[in-house]
Amino acid sequence: MDEHEYLAGYDPRSYPAVAVTVDVVALTIIGGVLHVLLVERGEPPFLGRWALPGGFIRPGEDLDQAAARELAEETGMTDRVHIEQLASYGAPDRDPRMRIVSVSYLAFAPDLPDPQAGSDATDAAWYGVDRLPKLAFDHERILGHALERARAKLEYTPLATAFVGPRFTISELRRVYETVWGVPLHAGNFHRKILSVPGFVESTGETTESGGARGGPRAKLYRAGDARLLHPALLRPEREEEIR
């Protein structure tokens, strides 16, 4: 039997039905606190429960397109957002409707706007990651994996620059690390480490328009460099202790 004959007689109904969805963990920093975007479900299952934004992929749509669409529906943003695939979740009982495999995505951006609920949600809001409601499906597990991915990636990639604007100070970058890692960092040591990593940041040759709150000197402005991996890595304080 050649391929044409095989496909002509192929019946997908002979196999159990499986659907594919995407779920997006969108993170931003608001008021010095790491926040995640959640939507309130407007239909069963888990009616009224908060969940990560997501939905079924559409015909002719690939996974990356579906994730970008879901994020755009809730935030209106399609650019200045770093988005990457996180993991897949396919436990047989993760969704009461049918066998559904979810491919999760992780998204970061500075100054994301107030969210707008999509067609299948009654509300959308930013929640501080340390003050979350009970989430639908297995979204607490997905969010936990996403937070650990974000914290780890700050160690060995320039991901922190996705949380700041095109031009930033070293202090602003340090606050990103402190917020995501949840620990204070020594300002002087952090400054030296950042500038010792080739390609992490580069000077714009500009400074802030004014000094700090105490009237200090104006701070130098930097932009993201061309590095894709940080060497040496910027380890979390607890990881530095483990290595020692």
Side-chain angles (χ1 to χ4, degrees):
M1 179 184 297
D2 62 22
E3 183 173 349
H4 178 74
E5 292 175 324
Y6 171 77
L7 292 176
Y10 182 82
D11 185 0
R13 293 172 297 179
S14 301
Y15 300 90
V18 178
V20 179
T21 62
V22 293
D23 289 304
V24 181
V25 181
L27 299 175
T28 195
I29 295 175
I30 303 173
V33 177
L34 186 63
H35 282 67
V36 61
L37 177 62
L38 298 179
V39 297
E40 185 179 19
R41 289 187 56 79
E43 57 187 39
F46 301 104
L47 175 65
R49 186 83 66 83
W50 289 88
L52 298 170
F56 292 93
I57 61 171
R58 295 174 177 174
E61 186 177 54
D62 69 20
L63 293 168
D64 290 357
Q65 290 172 333
R69 171 179 54 78
E70 289 290 345
L71 182 61
E73 287 177 359
E74 308 297 345
T75 67
M77 291 193 68
T78 57
D79 57 2
R80 292 199 311 114
V81 178
H82 171 93
I83 186 166
E84 63 181 65
Q85 194 172 119
L86 174 64
S88 299
Y89 299 84
D93 58 351
R94 65 176 301 275
D95 194 305
R97 292 171 290 188
M98 61 180 295
R99 182 70 185 273
I100 294 179
V101 175
S102 176
V103 180
S104 63
Y105 280 78
L106 186 55
F108 311 90
D111 304 321
L112 284 173
D114 292 337
Q116 302 292 326
S119 59
D120 58 350
T122 57
D123 197 6
W126 292 105
Y127 271 85
V129 296
D130 57 348
R131 293 192 174 186
L132 295 172
K134 185 172 179 60
L135 302 184
F137 305 105
D138 54 355
H139 289 185
E140 290 180 11
R141 179 171 179 245
I142 296 175
L143 176 57
H145 291 167
L147 291 174
E148 179 53 33
R149 166 76 71 85
R151 289 163 181 153
K153 288 202 72 169
L154 258 61
E155 295 185 319
Y156 61 88
T157 76
L159 179 62
T161 58
F163 284 98
V164 292
R167 301 183 307 160
F168 51 86
T169 66
I170 298 297
S171 294
E172 290 172 334
L173 197 62
R174 173 169 51 84
R175 285 192 286 272
V176 171
Y177 277 87
E178 291 177 329
T179 300
V180 178
W181 284 350
V183 294
L185 300 172
H186 186 278
N189 288 343
F190 180 83
H191 194 282
R192 285 191 292 274
K193 288 180 179 179
I194 291 299
L195 297 185
S196 69
V197 179
F200 188 2
V201 300
E202 58 185 36
S203 175
T204 65
E206 303 171 88
T207 62
T208 55
E209 293 183 359
S210 60
R214 298 181 180 179
R218 294 185 295 179
K220 294 181 180 179
L221 289 170
Y222 295 83
R223 56 177 166 253
D226 58 5
R228 293 295 174 262
L229 294 174
L230 304 185
H231 184 73
L234 299 174
L235 299 181
R236 283 172 276 184
E238 64 267 26
R239 296 243 298 142
E240 287 185 332
E241 290 297 325
E242 290 175 3
I243 292 175
R244 290 173 188 170

